[in-house]
Amino acid sequence: MPSATYARRTVTVNDEGFFEEPDQWTEEMAPEIARTAGIDELSEQHWRIIKFMRAEYAEKGTGPTVRVLGKTSGVSIKELYELFPKGPAKTAAKIAGIPKPRGCI
Amino acid sequence: MADTIEKVSIIVSKGSLEGIYPALIMANGARAEGIEANLFFTFFGLDAVHKARHEHIKVATVGNPGLHLATLAGVVPGMSSVMTHYLEHKMEKLDIPSIPEFIEMIADTGAGLYGCKASCDLFGLAKDDLIDQVKDIITVGEFYEMAAGGEIIFT
């Protein structure tokens, strides 16, 4: 199993860099993960989505897809893609330390 | 890391519900993965972005063995509407958006929507006949220029 080091702590990740154990994640790790995902600085809106991803995962055991994010996070699809150009649900899940959301739509 | 796909250009050539949805799902899914996506609507696929028609896309009940419907039943007037209604109901339960909503969402993801010039000429359509999300009516040559370096998917 591959590992990565964020905020001086080693965590287990899968081949795509998603956390295998979301409990290993801490908020201090987010900016570093974001940089590896091409986002230099996390804004308030980024954090809003990251926290939303964590909450959804804690509640449902899976992260939301982009459509669900657009409908329930209070941030529009357009803005989501401005915040996370490389795929909002995927990138936000990676930064939030949860598995990649599964879902076709 | 295995090879990645950076860009897809998806051609939508059919005007039936089952002809349009797969292309929309692939385009939306590409954007969700961070892949650049463009949709090129040609021939009857133009109905998906036709202002007067995009809300009235139907399932083909004739010549569609996948429906497992007797061929003669498929031609009964209203059968296509009934089957479409049934499918739309099932899709709604799964939170699959309607075609107009889906296309608007895909445009919001930053995917490009384009109409095919030859088909628009053939059907007498101008840009005003197509929904606002359509960026332009382009030639096949312009499509290839746009698709260069990526994958092309024909549906």
Side-chain angles (χ1 to χ4, degrees):
Chain A
M1 192 67 70
S3 64
T5 306
Y6 299 118
R8 296 180 303 279
R9 283 164 76 176
T10 303
V11 296
T12 48
V13 294
N14 70 7
D15 291 336
E16 276 191 284
F18 290 89
F19 275 53
E20 288 284 341
E21 291 166 51
D23 288 344
Q24 292 182 330
W25 183 87
T26 61
E27 285 197 8
E28 296 79 66
M29 295 177 180
E32 271 183 53
I33 309 170
R35 277 193 289 278
T36 68
I39 296 170
D40 291 335
E41 205 170 331
L42 292 175
S43 67
E44 212 170 292
Q45 282 293 74
H46 283 115
W47 272 110
R48 182 171 167 187
I49 299 300
I50 292 164
K51 286 177 178 162
F52 187 84
M53 299 296 288
R54 290 291 298 184
E56 283 281 298
Y57 179 78
E59 190 188 328
K60 295 172 183 158
T62 174
T65 62
V66 184
R67 171 163 165 81
V68 176
L69 266 182
K71 282 177 81 177
T72 55
S73 70
V75 178
S76 72
I77 300 271
K78 242 184 203 167
E79 200 189 336
L80 284 167
Y81 274 93
E82 283 164 12
L83 291 167
F84 304 97
K86 282 285 173 190
K90 181 183 164 183
T91 313
K94 189 178 277 181
I95 300 172
I98 64 167
K100 184 175 170 177
R102 292 190 76 236
C104 289
I105 292 165
Chain B
M1 190 92 173
D3 284 346
T4 53
I5 295 172
E6 300 295 332
K7 176 163 81 174
V8 291
S9 299
I10 302 171
I11 301 163
V12 188
S13 71
K14 296 183 180 70
S16 59
L17 187 124
E18 74 276 21
I20 294 168
Y21 264 108
L24 300 186
I25 291 172
M26 294 196 75
N28 181 61
R31 293 298 301 128
E33 288 295 320
I35 298 168
E36 184 184 339
N38 287 304
L39 281 158
F40 186 66
F41 296 90
T42 184
F43 258 78
F44 300 107
L46 275 169
D47 275 5
V49 288
H50 188 294
K51 270 181 192 165
R53 295 185 175 162
H54 73 146
E55 286 176 358
H56 308 285
I57 302 295
K58 292 198 163 52
V59 181
T61 50
V62 176
N64 187 353
L67 274 184
H68 303 284
L69 193 70
T71 298
L72 277 175
V75 302
V76 170
M79 184 55 81
S80 187
S81 293
V82 169
M83 290 306 296
T84 301
H85 191 74
Y86 170 71
L87 267 185
E88 282 175 346
H89 180 68
K90 286 192 86 163
M91 285 180 170
E92 207 181 322
K93 275 192 176 168
L94 290 169
D95 195 31
I96 299 173
S98 68
I99 286 174
E101 190 189 343
F102 208 178
I103 288 184
E104 193 184 332
M105 174 183 163
I106 289 168
D108 282 348
T109 70
L113 274 57
Y114 299 91
C116 156
K117 184 171 186 315
S119 306
C120 286
D121 289 348
L122 180 63
F123 298 139
L125 298 172
K127 197 168 174 302
D128 277 355
D129 296 308
L130 307 179
I131 57 171
D132 297 341
Q133 284 86 359
V134 175
K135 284 187 181 165
D136 205 356
I137 292 172
I138 62 173
T139 66
V140 64
E142 287 161 347
F143 165 77
Y144 277 124
E145 277 174 30
M146 199 177 290
E151 309 289 329
I152 295 177
I153 301 169
F154 185 90
T155 70

